[in-house]
Structure formats: C-alpha cells, structure tokens
C-alpha cells in the first residue's frame, strides 16, 4: 500500500510540474516576435521586390495573398 501512495504522490508532483511548465511556455509564446509571422506588409513588399525583381503590382499581389494566409499583417494594421 505504501508503494501505491508513493507512486501516486510522485505522479501528482510530476504532473503539477509539467502543467506549470506548460503554462509558462504558453505565456511566453503569446507575445509576437519580430522574427515570427505575421510580418509587416511594407517588409513583404520590399523583400518581394528585392528577391524576385518583381514590379510594384506583382509584389502587392503576392503580399496580398500572404495576408490572406496570415503570414503578413494587413497594410492598414
């Protein structure tokens, strides 16, 4: 009987430690970082023009598609 209560106590201690760690990780990921999506619209336009040698209209079209997918912030945001 002592083994069962010791195992139960160890399981509860481990699960509470994991739950606390999971909450801390979730809280740290909730803040948006500059190197993670969604990226600014102006940066998208600049990078598409630079990397693909695209025209203004083509860069706008590509960035608009990425806005719809959630990778880029809308231009008015």
């Amino acid at each position: 009987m002592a083994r069962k209560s010791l195992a139960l106590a160890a399981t509860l201690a481990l699960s509470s430690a994991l739950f606390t760690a999971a909450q801390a990780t979730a809280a740290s990921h909730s803040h948006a970082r500059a190197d993670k999506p969604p990226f600014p619209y102006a940066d998208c336009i600049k990078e598409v023009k630079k990397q693909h040698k695209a025209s203004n209209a083509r860069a706008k079209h590509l960035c608009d598609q990425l806005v719809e997918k959630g990778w880029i912030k809308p231009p008015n945001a």
Side-chain angles (χ1 to χ4, degrees):
M1 192 66 151
R3 286 185 182 177
K4 286 184 182 180
S5 53
L6 181 60
L8 180 60
T11 303
L12 288 175
L14 182 60
S15 65
S16 65
L18 291 175
F19 182 71
T20 304
Q23 284 180 330
T25 303
S28 67
H29 287 297
S30 65
H31 299 288
R33 292 177 40 185
D35 62 340
K36 301 277 184 171
F39 301 106
Y41 192 83
D43 289 349
C44 176
I45 296 287
K46 183 173 68 173
E47 286 299 314
V48 169
K49 286 174 143 183
K50 183 173 109 178
Q51 291 181 11
H52 301 285
K53 309 280 190 263
S55 66
N56 288 339
R58 180 69 179 150
K60 183 182 178 310
H61 176 72
L62 288 173
C63 291
D64 287 344
Q65 288 179 331
L66 292 172
V67 166
E68 291 175 8
K69 292 182 180 181
W71 284 91
I72 305 294
K73 293 178 190 172
N76 55 2

